[in-house]
Amino acid sequence: KLGKFNFFRDVIFYMVSVALLYWVLRDGLISRLNAVVLLFGAVCYTVTVVYSTRIAERLSRNKTLRMTKTLLARATMKMTAVLATLGAGADDDDDDEDEDADPATVDRWDEALDCADPAKGSVLTVRVDVRNRMMDR
């Protein structure tokens, strides 16, 4: 099975190689500079393939940072709700009382954020039917 990282790596390098080939062949002549640029592109691709596991690990660490940002956003929303109930937003000119979030809906959103099962993680009560390609046969 081909992983997402490897697939996108190859797609990006394919696009770059096509652009480089266009740049080299557009005038019909291949100079030393053109050859060096193409060789450099090949070396970059080879080095990227060799170090793909390390690059993928570093990118997965960034997923942890994104999860932390999500938790911070959730905490900020809860803090905003607490401050609103304490009257900290008294200087606010617009009237938000009619558009307050339903506590049951907020609880369902919190459950959906933590849920991995699509059927249970639905906030809008839309049933998701996940199928395998083999089931259609």
Side-chain angles (χ1 to χ4, degrees):
K1 183 177 178 181
L2 184 64
K4 289 180 184 179
F5 176 79
N6 293 335
F7 175 75
F8 286 113
R9 175 200 66 203
D10 290 343
V11 167
I12 289 170
F13 272 101
Y14 179 74
M15 290 187 311
V16 169
S17 67
V18 169
L20 285 175
L21 279 175
Y22 174 76
W23 175 73
V24 168
L25 298 175
R26 70 176 180 211
D27 60 358
L29 300 173
I30 300 175
S31 66
R32 286 185 184 156
L33 175 65
N34 296 53
V36 168
V37 169
L38 287 175
L39 284 173
F40 180 73
V43 169
C44 284
Y45 177 70
T46 304
V47 169
T48 304
V49 169
V50 169
Y51 291 107
S52 285
T53 55
R54 291 181 186 175
I55 294 170
E57 286 173 1
R58 288 200 180 190
L59 291 175
S60 68
R61 288 182 198 156
N62 288 341
K63 285 183 183 178
T64 305
L65 292 175
R66 280 186 256 144
M67 287 176 39
T68 304
K69 287 180 184 179
T70 303
L71 291 174
L72 285 174
R74 214 184 289 167
T76 303
M77 288 183 352
K78 288 181 181 179
M79 182 61 79
T80 303
V82 168
L83 290 175
T85 59
L86 294 176
D91 298 329
D92 194 8
D93 293 333
D94 61 346
D95 187 16
D96 293 342
E97 292 181 21
D98 294 337
E99 299 177 17
D100 285 341
D102 181 30
T105 305
V106 173
D107 292 337
R108 290 177 70 192
W109 273 107
D110 289 338
E111 290 173 14
L113 285 172
D114 297 330
C115 185
D117 183 21
K120 293 180 183 177
S122 174
V123 176
L124 303 174
T125 63
V126 176
R127 184 165 182 247
V128 177
D129 188 17
V130 180
R131 291 181 164 230
N132 187 346
R133 285 189 212 166
M134 298 302 288
M135 292 175 65
D136 293 335
R137 294 182 181 191

